[in-house]
C-alpha cells in the first residue's frame, strides 16, 4: 500500500519514477520507504552541482547518470 511520507522534501531522479497518476496527484517511485526516509533533505538554495548530485545519489545506492 502506498503511503504519503510527511516531513522533509527529497529529490529523486526521473528514471526512478515507476508510475504517475495525474488524477490522484500521486507519484510512485522505485525506492523503499526506508531509503527515502534516510535520504538527504532537498535544499532549494543549494546549486545542483556535481558534488551535490553525488551527495544525493549515494544514499539511494544508485549511480549518477
Amino acid at each position: 500500500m502506498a503511503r504519503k511520507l510527511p516531513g522533509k522534501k527529497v529529490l529523486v531522479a526521473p528514471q526512478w519514477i515507476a508510475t504517475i497518476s495525474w488524477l490522484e496527484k500521486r507519484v510512485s517511485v522505485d525506492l523503499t520507504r526506508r531509503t527515502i526516509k534516510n535520504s538527504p533533505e532537498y535544499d532549494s538554495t543549494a546549486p545542483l552541482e556535481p558534488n551535490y548530485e553525488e551527495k544525493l545519489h549515494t544514499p539511494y545506492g544508485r549511480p549518477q547518470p
Side-chain angles (χ1 to χ4, degrees), residues 11-55:
L11 289 180
V12 295
Q15 63 266 26
W16 304 341
I17 296 173
T19 61
I20 298 174
S21 172
W22 296 105
L23 282 170
E24 296 177 15
K25 298 179 182 178
R26 182 180 304 227
V27 175
S28 299
V29 294
D30 184 25
L31 299 165
T32 66
R33 290 172 58 84
R34 173 177 276 178
T35 300
I36 294 171
K37 282 183 176 182
N38 292 333
S39 66
E41 186 164 6
Y42 171 60
D43 179 0
S44 63
T45 64
L48 292 177
E49 297 175 343
N51 290 342
Y52 188 71
E53 287 185 39
E54 182 178 337
K55 177 183 166 187

